[in-house]
Amino acid sequence: MHMVAKPSGKMQQVLKLSLAATFCYVVATFYFGVRAHSLALISEAGHNVSDMLAIVLSYVAVYFQTRPATDEKTFGYQRAGVLAAFVNALTLIVLAGWIAFAALHRLATPEPVQPRLMMYVAAAGVLMNGVIAGLLWRFSGDVNIRSVFLHMLGDTLSTAAVIAGGLAILFTGMTWIDPVLSMIIAGMILYSSYGIVRETLHILLEGTPKNLQLHEIRDSMQSVEGVLNVHDLHVWSLGSSSHALASHVTIAEMPMSDCGLILEGINCALRDRFHIHHTTIQFETKGCETTHGCAAPPELEVVGGHAHHHHGHSHSH
């Protein structure tokens, strides 16, 4: 089965639009943040720079995901999006630390701010980030796009907090509200990034997809007529929404044509119930040793100064 990602022209158009709008907002936010002496606005500019990086990485990943599989990349480039999301989340964590450090410094040495200018710029940011987040929501089933979506959603909430902070400073004159807002923004960034790091690491480490239960998959396979036993079962994610399966299946001695019917039944069950389309099924007429797993590498035994491979079992297909 050839592994090729689905066309994503609309996704690429949304990312291009998001990149252009974010770049304009970064320039405006930094300029007016410096003019207003607002660390919260400057933090927003830094946050949006990370958004630009996230969008660029995601766009490149989407491009690579559409490329077909090759002899060197037999699963294609589906992991490109997962890797981009992982890098995006790591940059966000670093950014959150920088914002928190700068906020602590500002608390120690407070500076006057211009709350009205803060509010005007932040209002524009809420509108822009809200629109982009809404456009990205359509594609948020992909972990790569979801990482960008969380970037933009976090920006929308944090810029709304800047408006509230500017209003509070305007009426109370308490400038410490500005760095405190920056620390809240840093906390939001850190919280949203943690989930992405955890999910992408799980995929990169070949973990079982979280929406699938291995015992349910095994029971479904063993319910197919002719299957005696299912073992050495592995399920992992190729990308954020495509999964693969490999397993050993014990069956009775039978003609090859009957084996084909059993294989068809297994694949139908996996496709219809668990949406697993890429499978590698190895048939056996007797079970293999599973003390250390059928797929475990054979141990090396030194005999007469030479290393020899001893296979604990053989398989018939």
Side-chain angles (χ1 to χ4, degrees):
M1 183 181 296
H2 298 285
M3 306 305 299
V4 181
K6 297 179 180 179
S8 51
K10 291 183 178 179
M11 187 185 297
Q12 289 177 318
Q13 290 177 359
V14 169
L15 289 173
K16 285 180 182 178
L17 175 64
S18 302
L19 181 61
T22 303
F23 174 76
C24 293
Y25 184 66
V26 165
V27 174
T29 306
F30 182 78
Y31 173 76
F32 289 112
V34 171
R35 284 193 57 183
H37 301 285
S38 171
L39 180 61
L41 277 183
I42 296 174
S43 298
E44 276 300 292
H47 191 183
N48 279 273
V49 167
S50 74
D51 287 345
M52 288 178 56
L53 175 62
I55 294 170
V56 170
L57 284 173
S58 295
Y59 183 83
V60 172
V62 167
Y63 166 74
F64 275 106
Q65 284 178 202
T66 61
R67 297 182 64 182
T70 65
D71 289 344
E72 291 76 25
K73 302 290 187 300
T74 56
F75 280 114
Y77 294 82
Q78 297 188 63
R79 287 280 174 85
V82 178
L83 187 59
F86 179 70
V87 173
N88 286 340
L90 290 183
T91 59
L92 277 176
I93 291 174
V94 173
L95 178 66
W98 176 83
I99 291 175
F101 178 80
L104 290 173
H105 182 266
R106 179 63 65 89
L107 281 172
T109 55
E111 295 182 16
V113 297
Q114 299 180 31
R116 293 184 186 274
L117 189 55
M118 282 177 59
M119 293 166 61
Y120 295 151
V121 178
V126 168
L127 180 62
M128 183 204 72
N129 290 322
V131 170
I132 294 176
L135 292 173
L136 292 172
W137 171 252
R138 295 175 53 194
F139 309 103
S140 59
D142 186 304
V143 69
N144 173 31
I145 301 302
R146 186 158 69 253
S147 69
V148 183
F149 167 75
L150 286 176
H151 271 264
M152 307 313 296
L153 181 62
D155 278 349
T156 304
L157 297 175
S158 61
T159 47
V162 171
I163 295 175
L167 191 63
I169 294 172
L170 183 65
F171 284 104
T172 66
M174 294 184 293
T175 57
W176 58 264
I177 293 175
D178 181 65
V180 168
L181 273 175
S182 299
M183 296 186 70
I184 294 173
I185 293 171
M188 292 170 59
I189 296 171
L190 190 62
Y191 177 79
S192 63
S193 304
Y194 173 73
I196 294 293
V197 168
R198 184 174 60 181
E199 182 176 356
T200 52
L201 267 181
H202 187 74
I203 293 174
L204 293 172
L205 293 175
E206 308 284 2
T208 301
K210 292 185 177 181
N211 61 327
L212 299 177
Q213 299 295 324
L214 209 61
H215 67 90
E216 293 181 359
I217 296 174
R218 182 181 288 106
D219 291 344
S220 181
M221 293 174 66
Q222 290 183 159
S223 68
V224 174
E225 185 176 357
V227 174
L228 302 179
N229 177 260
V230 173
H231 54 279
D232 198 31
L233 176 61
H234 304 274
V235 183
W236 68 99
S237 296
L238 300 171
S240 59
S241 57
S242 60
H243 311 308
L245 176 147
S247 178
H248 292 187
V249 175
T250 305
I251 60 175
E253 289 279 2
M254 63 181 65
M256 184 64 70
S257 59
D258 293 339
C259 294
L261 293 175
I262 296 175
L263 182 61
E264 183 180 354
I266 292 173
N267 282 326
C268 285
L270 294 172
R271 181 187 66 239
D272 297 341
R273 183 174 175 184
F274 304 103
H275 306 290
I276 299 174
H277 298 274
H278 186 83
T279 63
T280 303
I281 308 295
Q282 180 168 308
F283 285 144
E284 303 168 343
T285 56
K286 61 180 180 178
C288 62
E289 178 62 45
T290 58
T291 304
H292 301 292
C294 293
E299 296 181 358
L300 292 176
E301 181 180 338
V302 179
V303 180
H306 298 283
H308 297 276
H309 290 281
H310 293 274
H311 297 274
H313 57 272
S314 61
H315 300 299
S316 60
H317 298 271

